[in-house]
Amino acid sequence: MGRNSFKAGYQFLLVHTEILDTNPLYGQDTYSGAFSKPTCAELGQAAGCTVPSDSTSYSLADFMFGLPNQINLGSYAVINLRQYVHSLYLQDDYRVGAKLTLNVGLRWEFASPLYERDNHYSNFDPTTNTMIQATSGSLYDRSLVHPDYKDYGPRVGLAYSFDPQTVIRSGYGISYTFFNRVGSAEEGINAPQALFGVLSQTIPSGGAVPSTFLTTQNSFTSNIASPAAFNPANSNVVYTPPDSRWPYVQNWFLSVQRQLPKDTVFTLSRKTVVMVVAHRVEPRDRPKVGIGTRAV
């Protein structure tokens, strides 16, 4: 079309991601030597005596006696994330003159918030200190994040022939990044469907081992990783602000290209990339239950 060369396009992406990222699925016991290190009284020494420090041996002894001081267990939670992306673009290469060509374009993209196939998704509500569960319905109902329909990415560039052997090129553009697998905050790895149970045990000084104490043999018989054991009062949960927006990247580019003798080209260029995150916060911690010391 004369000095203009128009291009337009559309792209659709459907992203399915299956995630299993709770651990330890098979449990983990920690032995710190707290139960095997003797006291002065047990050594027949006066109070305040010096007890040899050998954490490796004491920890090994705890392990052999089956006395874990901490028990960890993760729930089995498979998260089936879903997301779709619509992308439209329009571009024009405009030849201003014999030496200058401009490239101007605009890209609009809509990426749905991440949601879970079976609505096994939750978010923390700091105003009520409760967990909100995803439900069937709108995108917000399923993702618990408001959709963002204003992701516009302008592009502008130029090519200028300074002389027959020298060309200057420059450009600037904005693009968005919205693909999943960005961390547990948005992967649905959240209470109560995904839990990281932690149980700490102590024995009163000089007291007998209570019947409720969990040994190595029965350390994973508790329900510390069961959704039924979830209690927001003693759990760390993840939180994504409902008005979160997708981060975007700004690109600047400048180059000078010079034709040299013997089919040689010299290029000097500079590129700058800046990523901007707007209202998207990585939540506090992974969800855990049973945090603290068990009364035994």
Side-chain angles (χ1 to χ4, degrees):
M1 296 177 61
R3 294 184 176 186
N4 299 88
S5 177
F6 292 103
K7 293 181 181 178
Y10 168 77
Q11 182 183 50
F12 175 74
L13 294 176
L14 184 63
V15 185
H16 290 186
T17 307
E18 184 178 275
I19 300 171
L20 174 57
D21 196 18
T22 51
N23 59 81
L25 285 175
Y26 300 104
Q28 179 185 58
D29 288 341
T30 301
Y31 305 87
S32 66
F35 306 125
S36 296
K37 185 176 182 179
T39 63
C40 292
E42 290 170 337
L43 293 175
Q45 302 292 326
C49 69
T50 300
V51 179
S53 178
D54 187 355
S55 59
T56 301
S57 297
Y58 297 141
S59 298
L60 179 60
D62 276 5
F63 170 72
M64 297 179 69
F65 292 138
L67 303 175
N69 71 290
Q70 188 176 88
I71 300 168
N72 297 268
L73 184 63
S75 62
Y76 183 84
V78 178
I79 308 300
N80 293 279
L81 286 185
R82 297 292 184 263
Q83 184 185 40
Y84 57 86
V85 183
H86 295 282
S87 301
L88 291 168
Y89 81 92
L90 178 64
Q91 176 181 303
D92 179 25
D93 291 324
Y94 176 63
R95 189 173 181 84
V96 180
K99 290 189 173 185
L100 178 62
T101 300
L102 296 180
N103 175 275
V104 180
L106 180 65
R107 186 179 181 92
W108 173 81
E109 297 179 289
F110 170 72
S112 70
L114 302 176
Y115 59 94
E116 210 276 335
R117 181 191 65 187
D118 303 311
N119 295 324
H120 295 161
Y121 215 67
S122 61
N123 197 11
F124 177 72
D125 184 353
T127 61
T128 61
N129 290 327
T130 59
M131 298 300 296
I132 302 174
Q133 299 293 320
T135 59
S136 298
S138 66
L139 272 176
Y140 176 79
D141 293 332
R142 303 196 67 184
S143 66
L144 305 177
V145 173
H146 295 292
D148 180 12
Y149 296 96
K150 299 180 181 180
D151 292 338
Y152 293 97
R155 321 286 173 90
V156 61
L158 64 84
Y160 178 71
S161 297
F162 185 78
D163 60 40
Q165 285 77 39
T166 307
V167 178
I168 300 173
R169 296 181 175 89
S170 183
Y172 168 79
I174 294 177
S175 57
Y176 291 82
T177 172
F178 13 60
F179 293 106
N180 51 24
R181 205 67 181 101
V182 293
S184 61
E186 294 174 350
E187 290 174 357
I189 303 175
N190 201 2
Q193 63 271 11
L195 297 175
F196 302 80
V198 180
L199 175 63
S200 297
Q201 302 189 119
T202 60
I203 297 176
S205 179
V209 178
S211 59
T212 54
F213 190 92
L214 297 178
T215 63
T216 301
Q217 187 174 5
N218 62 8
S219 58
F220 305 129
T221 59
S222 68
N223 67 341
I224 59 174
S226 169
F230 171 66
N231 182 357
N234 64 356
S235 300
N236 292 332
V237 294
V238 296
Y239 164 62
T240 301
D243 62 346
S244 293
R245 299 185 61 186
W246 293 112
Y248 63 91
V249 178
Q250 299 185 78
N251 288 271
W252 291 269
F253 175 77
L254 174 65
S255 74
V256 178
Q257 194 172 68
R258 176 73 177 181
Q259 178 71 49
L260 300 178
K262 297 183 180 180
D263 298 325
T264 302
V265 176
F266 172 78
T267 301
L268 180 65
S269 64
R270 170 65 184 269
K271 183 177 183 179
T272 303
V273 179
V274 177
M275 185 171 185
V276 180
V277 179
H279 308 299
R280 187 165 289 274
V281 181
E282 181 71 16
R284 299 178 297 174
D285 202 349
R286 286 186 165 185
K288 298 179 181 179
V289 296
I291 298 174
T293 301
R294 177 171 179 166
V296 295

